[in-house]
Amino acid sequence: MASRGTVKASANFNASEDAEVLHKAMKGLGTDEDAILQLLTARSNGQRQEIKAAYKTLFGKDLVDDLKGELGGKFETLIVALMTLPLTYDVTCLRNAIKGAGTDEKVLVEILASRTAQQVKDIVAAYRQEYDDDLEEDVCGDTSGHFKRLLVILLQASRQTGIQEGNIESDAQALFKAGEEKFGTDEQSFVTILGNRSAQHLRKVFDAYMKLSGYEMEESIQRETSGGLRDLLLAVVKCARSVPAYFAETLYYAMKGAGTDDNTLIRVMVTRSEVDMLDIRAEFRKMFACSLHSMIKGDTSGDYRKALLMLCGGDDA
């Protein structure tokens, strides 16, 4: 699959030359932030890892440590995120979400609802290797109820593939009976069906559900559930419909209204920059009255803004 990212590997790449440029940008008094962000946003993550290795070879120092020493604030957080291997980044985000003060449910929901089955398997393995802990156990220790159950299902990373023609109607019926048709909600049916069917299958189920009930799946979930479970079910449904649309909406609400959710903004811009940022931008433009570029520009400032706009890669005015 051709990458739909905005960040691509640089064609005439020389890791040692890049390491020299970064070293020079941090040497002596003052730091040339612009040189750092222009270079790092124009290299793929794989190339950044090579630059990191070359930097150590040339200067006997860790590039990320040096960057942390020279930069600060949100800009530093963004640059360090860019320097981290994607798998390590996901694993670290999940660990911090669980082990921090209180559980950051938003991060659990976003990562586990949007990553592919293979990515989730890799995350579980890398988490064990990094922390000598079981991610599922850690998640279970920190969550409860049907929210916990659906997270556990997603961690199994064993969604069915393809479309089960014979089950489309019965799945829609089961969801209808579990929610709109009865007094109170049978959350288990939602959790089992939405957690185990393939995205293609679920899209057909959502159409059948609409015909049957007169409601979009999301409307019913909004009405029938609450809290972390609602957020997770909505994320699963939105990702089944379109992962880029899910992230476009996530970015919009990270910036809309008073204050910016910078952690979410950084996480999404970094993790999707080499995957589907072009599609996210297109979906954003369709869903909202402005471009992603213009919203980032209006909501951020300084080197942090410059770097985010480089990752965005263009304005769909």
Side-chain angles (χ1 to χ4, degrees):
M1 203 180 86
S3 160
R4 298 286 299 151
T6 44
V7 172
K8 304 253 192 273
S10 171
N12 37 12
F13 170 67
N14 182 319
S16 296
E17 280 177 18
D18 284 351
E20 294 274 8
V21 170
L22 291 171
H23 187 250
K24 201 171 132 207
M26 294 188 279
K27 220 175 68 192
L29 281 172
T31 306
D32 185 350
E33 284 91 358
D34 201 56
I36 294 170
L37 76 88
Q38 295 290 347
L39 191 148
L40 292 178
T41 56
R43 303 291 181 271
S44 68
N45 192 282
Q47 290 177 330
R48 292 180 208 125
Q49 304 311 318
E50 289 183 54
I51 295 169
K52 191 175 173 221
Y55 191 92
K56 190 163 272 186
T57 302
L58 289 170
F59 308 112
K61 293 193 297 183
D62 184 88
L63 174 56
V64 176
D65 288 346
D66 280 3
L67 288 165
K68 283 179 178 169
E70 294 291 326
L71 311 174
K74 295 176 285 204
F75 180 56
E76 177 193 326
T77 308
L78 176 60
I79 294 295
V80 171
L82 286 172
M83 289 302 305
T84 310
L85 277 167
L87 178 58
T88 308
Y89 186 73
D90 277 354
V91 166
T92 310
C93 285
L94 288 169
R95 179 72 170 188
N96 293 341
I98 295 165
K99 295 294 178 191
T103 311
D104 190 345
E105 291 183 352
K106 189 182 277 186
V107 175
L108 297 181
V109 166
E110 180 195 300
I111 293 178
L112 295 178
S114 68
R115 302 302 187 257
T116 63
Q118 190 53 55
Q119 285 174 318
V120 174
K121 287 187 171 113
D122 293 343
I123 286 168
V124 170
Y127 188 94
R128 183 183 291 285
Q129 197 175 3
E130 183 67 33
Y131 302 112
D132 199 24
D133 277 334
D134 184 311
L135 178 55
E136 187 185 316
E137 278 177 28
D138 284 355
V139 165
C140 285
D142 237 33
T143 57
S144 62
H146 286 95
F147 178 54
K148 173 177 84 175
R149 289 184 200 179
L150 183 48
L151 288 170
V152 169
I153 291 174
L154 296 175
L155 282 167
Q156 304 317 299
S158 52
R159 262 187 199 282
Q160 297 156 357
T161 48
I163 298 169
Q164 277 82 33
E165 290 294 346
N167 291 342
I168 294 167
E169 205 52 50
S170 58
D171 280 350
Q173 291 275 1
L175 289 168
F176 183 54
K177 285 197 173 69
E180 295 292 350
E181 207 176 54
K182 67 186 291 245
F183 185 74
T185 308
D186 167 19
E187 285 98 349
Q188 191 61 56
S189 298
F190 281 86
V191 164
T192 303
I193 292 171
L194 296 176
N196 283 296
R197 307 289 190 264
S198 73
Q200 307 97 291
H201 180 84
L202 285 173
R203 289 197 289 273
K204 299 226 174 222
V205 172
F206 301 155
D207 291 343
Y209 183 86
M210 180 73 190
K211 284 201 186 82
L212 189 68
S213 69
Y215 297 116
E216 290 291 6
M217 195 70 244
E218 290 90 333
E219 294 177 85
S220 291
I221 290 168
Q222 285 280 13
R223 263 206 306 277
E224 300 288 328
T225 61
S226 61
L229 176 64
R230 178 201 294 184
D231 296 339
L232 183 53
L233 287 168
L234 286 173
V236 166
V237 169
K238 285 169 182 170
C239 287
R241 288 197 194 271
S242 160
V243 170
Y246 166 72
F247 279 116
E249 198 177 345
T250 301
L251 286 167
Y252 180 78
Y253 287 108
M255 292 182 278
K256 184 184 175 287
T260 305
D261 178 356
D262 289 295
N263 288 333
T264 297
L265 183 54
I266 290 168
R267 196 171 54 247
V268 176
M269 294 304 293
V270 168
T271 57
R272 308 316 289 187
S273 59
E274 289 184 56
V275 183
D276 53 6
M277 187 57 70
L278 292 169
D279 299 324
I280 291 171
R281 268 171 41 193
E283 291 292 342
F284 195 100
R285 195 68 193 81
K286 270 197 300 211
M287 291 162 81
F288 307 109
C290 60
S291 66
L292 177 59
H293 191 280
S294 66
M295 196 161 187
I296 292 170
K297 198 172 172 183
D299 222 57
T300 57
S301 62
D303 296 312
Y304 175 55
R305 173 205 273 169
K306 265 192 221 167
L308 286 170
L309 291 177
M310 296 292 288
L311 296 178
C312 179
D315 192 355
D316 315 282

